[in-house]
Amino acid sequence: MTLTAVILLGAFHGINPAMGWLFAVARGLQERSRDLLLQSLPVIALGHLASVALVVAVVSATGSLVTGTALAIGAGVLLVGFGLWHLLARRHFRWVGMRLSLPQLAAWSFLMSSVHGAGLMLLPVLTRMPASHHGHALSGGLLVAGVHTLAMFLTATVVAVVVYEFLGVAVLRRAWFNLDRMWAFALVGAGVLTLVAAV
């Protein structure tokens, strides 16, 4: 997986309404405030970054203890399992209300990103990073997380502003595509590819 793939995964997260832009649009429409929408998006991106950075920290910490192959196999199994769980789960994680403070919104974003396995999708990139020096693996992983989150933030901002200004949330009722299912298939596929590359 290359930097291009990291950017494309970030853009995919940005398009996915479950990663926050829909929440930001709803907050903006509820208060009739584009400013509130625009204030929400960086906070959502911060929560997303925290979730992805947590995966980076775990991988860089264990990468120096475990061989690259074993880590890649473990990551592949985790991705396949998490993807299958998403495909087979009947319930979907939901937050309770729309009126959240900005810190609560960041926490919501962290939880949603974690529940959706946002950082897990970067495991194929992270497991191929050199593990010889812990600091190098951590800084490289954080760079990957930052680029990924920036792509997510920019995409989500464009989508949110277009929906807020021109379409409204009603368009989602007519043109809804279940991105969670697509995401689950992508997790399984990435896990399989990671396992194939590891052996």
Side-chain angles (χ1 to χ4, degrees):
M1 213 182 264
T2 65
L3 187 60
T4 302
V6 170
I7 292 169
L8 290 174
L9 285 171
F12 180 76
H13 280 154
I15 291 170
N16 188 345
M19 292 294 161
W21 68 258
L22 181 59
F23 205 133
V25 169
R27 291 183 85 215
L29 289 172
Q30 187 175 20
E31 301 296 328
R32 293 187 173 94
S33 169
R34 185 185 322 122
D35 289 343
L36 185 59
L37 167 109
L38 295 175
Q39 289 171 7
S40 301
L41 290 165
V43 175
I44 289 168
L46 185 63
H48 187 86
L49 177 62
S51 175
V52 174
L54 181 61
V55 172
V56 167
V58 169
V59 169
S60 71
T62 59
S64 58
L65 303 174
V66 185
T67 68
T69 302
L71 187 59
I73 290 170
V77 169
L78 183 63
L79 281 168
V80 169
F82 201 73
L84 290 174
W85 175 73
H86 267 282
L87 282 172
L88 301 174
R90 295 188 185 270
R91 296 196 45 155
H92 188 71
F93 181 81
R94 298 182 193 275
W95 197 262
V96 286
M98 293 298 282
R99 295 193 184 268
L100 300 176
S101 67
L102 291 179
Q104 288 172 326
L105 185 58
W108 172 87
S109 177
F110 174 81
L111 289 173
M112 290 304 289
S113 296
S114 299
V115 166
H116 283 88
L120 297 180
M121 189 52 91
L122 295 175
L123 283 174
V125 174
L126 299 172
T127 56
R128 286 193 171 79
M129 296 184 76
S132 56
H133 189 293
H134 173 71
H136 176 62
L138 181 61
S139 62
L142 291 176
L143 177 65
V144 167
V147 168
H148 168 82
T149 303
L150 180 61
M152 174 265 190
F153 170 71
L154 293 174
T155 305
T157 299
V158 169
V159 171
V161 169
V162 167
V163 170
Y164 179 84
E165 294 291 344
F166 304 108
L167 303 174
V169 179
V171 74
L172 296 177
R173 290 190 203 114
R174 293 189 305 270
W176 183 256
F177 178 73
N178 190 342
L179 288 172
D180 279 345
R181 267 201 158 343
M182 187 170 136
W183 182 245
F185 280 117
L187 284 167
V188 171
V192 169
L193 288 173
T194 302
L195 286 169
V196 168
V199 290

